[in-house]
Amino acid sequence: MMQATSTASLALQAPGAVPTAAELEAKYLLPVYKQLDLEPVRGEGVWLEEASGRRLLDLYGGHAVVLLGYGHAGWSEAVARQARTMAFQSNAVPNGARARAAEALVAFAPEGLDRAFLVNSGAEANENALRLAFRKTGRTKVVAIEGAFHGRTAAAAAVSWRSERWYGFPRQPFDVEFVPRGNPAALAAAVDETTAAVILEPVQGMAGAVPLGQPFLEAARRITNERGALLIFDEVQCGLGRLGTPFAARLYGVMPDFVTLGKGLAGGLPAAAILARPEALPELKVGDLGSTFGGGPVVAAAIEATLAALIDETLMPRVKVVSRALFALRGVGPVIDVQGEGLLLGLRTRRPARAIQQELLSRDILTGTSDDPQIVRLIPPLILGLEHVELLKRALVDIGA
C-alpha cells in the first residue's frame, strides 16, 4: 500500500522537480484515505491508464460510481452540452434539465415510487429518508442490520454497523437497534411501537457483497406493515441496474416505502436521490427539505444520460451474462467462493483479500476489498464484457491458490 508522503520529503526534491499527485495530496489534504500505489490520469471504457502508459482493467469502477465506464460518448456530450448552456442554477427556479432527470428517474423506478428528491450523495439521501420517516411516524427509533453501511453523516452513520470506531459525534441523534441479517425473528422482536423505520441494503456492499435474501426482505415488509413503521431500501451501491434489474426492489419483488440512490446515478458526477411512495411521505411545506447542489443542471443532464444508456444500450441483460461468468470463477486460483448479485460481487479467497488485491494489481487489474478480510470486491462498470472476465480468470490462475 502507498504510504502518505511527508512534507519533509517534498523539501528534499530536486529543484524544479514536479511533485506527484500523491505528494501534493499528502501536503494539502487530510490524511484519511488509504491509497493504492497507482495514479491513473485517464480512462476509456473499463480501462484506466497511468502517465507511463500502463493500462489497468478497472473492476472497482471508482467505488461503484463509473456505471457506464470512462468516456461514454452520450454521457460526455450531454454533460458538455449542459455545461455550455448553463452550468448551474439553484432550486429557487425551475430547470428543464432537473425536470427531465426527475421524470426519467421516476419512469425507471418500480411502480408506486412516484416522487423524487435530488441530493448530492448516498449519505445525504439516507439522511433525508430517515428524516422523512421520523416526520411521518412521530417515532424515535430506527432498526438497522448488522454489517450495514449507510454513510458518514450523523444520521446515516448512526445506522451503520460499528461506526463507533470513527463516528466522532458526542451522541447519536436517535435510538438505533441492530439485528442479525437473515433473522426475521430478531427483526420482529426489534420493530416495536417506537420504530419509525427499518433501513437496509438488499445487498450489503461494504460487508462484502452480502445479499440479505428474498425471505428476509419479505419479512421486513410484512413486519413494518404490521407495526406501522416504514421500510427504506438503501440501493446506493446495489441499484441502477447493477444487479441486472433496475432496482433490487424489483429483483426481489418487495416494495419499500423509500429507495435511496447514489454512486452511479450520474455516471461519475456527485448525485443521489430518494424515491418515495406518496403515501409514505409526511405533509411537506416549503423549506422542510433542501439541497444547494441537488439536481443542478449539469448533474441532472448526467442523470438523464445515464438512465438512457442503461435502457437503450441493454446493459442490464449484459450484467446477467457477465455475472454468471464471474460466478464461474469459484475454485479458480485463490477463489474458494463467489457471493453477491449481478455486478456487486465478492470473491472469497483462501488468503487475505488485501494480498490478493495487490497481486491482481501487479497484473494490471484493479479490484476492491471490504469489511470482510477474505473478500475481494468487484463493482465494475456495467459495460464489462466476457473478454474482461477471461483476463481476470487468467490472472487468478497465474496467482494460484
Side-chain angles (χ1 to χ4, degrees):
M1 303 298 289
M2 174 177 270
Q3 300 299 317
T5 304
S6 68
T7 305
S9 70
L10 292 177
L12 296 175
Q13 289 180 344
V18 178
T20 66
E23 289 166 341
L24 287 173
E25 287 192 6
K27 183 175 181 180
Y28 296 111
L29 295 177
L30 296 181
V32 295
Y33 296 113
K34 193 170 187 178
Q35 295 185 321
L36 298 168
D37 190 10
L38 170 69
E39 191 177 315
V41 296
R42 64 183 61 86
E44 181 180 0
V46 296
W47 295 94
L48 292 170
E49 186 174 328
E50 294 190 281
S52 65
R54 178 193 182 194
R55 281 164 53 87
L56 298 103
L57 177 62
D58 183 7
L59 300 183
Y60 196 56
H63 221 63
V65 168
V66 191
L67 208 66
L68 305 179
Y70 301 94
H72 185 277
W75 183 92
S76 300
E77 175 53 33
V79 169
R81 183 171 57 247
Q82 183 58 54
R84 290 191 298 266
T85 304
M86 183 170 62
F88 186 75
Q89 190 46 252
S90 78
N91 288 292
V93 296
N95 179 268
R98 185 187 306 120
R100 291 191 300 273
E103 181 182 30
L105 186 54
V106 170
F108 191 69
E111 185 176 355
L113 296 172
D114 297 333
R115 302 303 294 268
F117 180 60
L118 299 176
V119 291
N120 305 289
S121 71
E124 189 182 357
N126 286 327
E127 195 95 1
N128 280 284
L130 291 166
R131 177 183 285 116
L132 289 168
F134 283 120
R135 287 281 302 275
K136 177 67 173 180
T137 64
R139 296 178 177 183
T140 60
K141 184 178 85 170
V142 173
V143 174
I145 312 301
E146 293 179 1
F149 183 86
H150 298 291
R152 289 182 177 267
T153 52
V159 293
S160 293
W161 180 239
R162 293 179 176 164
S163 61
E164 65 275 3
R165 295 171 294 176
W166 45 263
Y167 191 71
F169 298 102
R171 64 189 62 86
Q172 293 181 344
F174 46 79
D175 298 329
V176 180
E177 184 172 351
F178 288 94
V179 300
R181 51 189 175 223
N183 191 331
L187 183 64
V191 178
D192 57 24
E193 69 280 358
T194 70
T195 305
V198 172
I199 185 168
L200 56 83
E201 304 158 90
V203 181
Q204 293 183 330
M206 282 294 289
V210 182
L212 296 186
Q214 186 169 347
F216 186 80
L217 299 178
E218 290 175 343
R221 179 70 283 180
R222 183 183 68 254
I223 291 164
T224 50
N225 282 342
E226 291 171 354
R227 312 288 168 82
L230 298 177
L231 181 59
I232 303 169
F233 276 13
D234 175 346
E235 298 207 28
V236 169
Q237 193 165 137
C238 70
L240 298 167
R242 184 160 292 282
L243 305 188
T245 57
F247 294 93
R250 184 171 292 173
L251 175 66
Y252 295 112
V254 178
M255 177 62 65
D257 298 295
F258 301 108
V259 168
T260 58
L261 302 169
K263 297 292 187 188
L265 177 59
L269 296 181
I274 302 167
L275 292 168
R277 290 194 313 112
E279 301 84 357
L281 290 168
E283 184 177 343
L284 293 172
K285 61 182 184 299
V286 171
D288 282 347
L289 300 176
S291 177
T292 296
F293 291 100
V298 172
V299 168
I303 292 173
E304 185 182 13
T306 300
L307 295 174
L310 285 175
I311 298 167
D312 298 343
E313 298 174 21
T314 61
L315 291 183
M316 286 175 281
R318 178 194 189 109
V319 166
K320 294 178 181 178
V321 172
V322 175
S323 180
R324 285 195 293 271
L326 288 166
F327 268 99
L329 296 177
R330 284 190 181 103
V332 175
V335 179
I336 57 176
D337 198 7
V338 182
Q339 63 191 44
E341 292 274 6
L343 290 184
L344 173 49
L345 296 178
L347 308 181
R348 184 165 295 281
T349 55
R350 291 183 177 86
R351 292 184 284 115
R354 290 198 181 277
I356 303 302
Q357 180 193 42
Q358 287 297 316
E359 293 184 53
L360 287 170
L361 191 59
S362 72
R363 291 162 174 80
D364 298 334
I365 296 177
L366 176 61
T367 60
T369 54
S370 74
D371 286 341
D372 186 328
Q374 300 301 128
I375 291 291
V376 172
R377 190 161 39 133
L378 307 182
I379 35 178
L382 305 194
I383 62 170
L384 195 75
L386 293 175
E387 68 275 21
H388 305 123
V389 178
E390 184 61 28
L391 292 174
L392 174 60
K393 181 178 180 179
R394 291 177 195 167
L396 292 169
V397 168
D398 187 43
I399 289 169

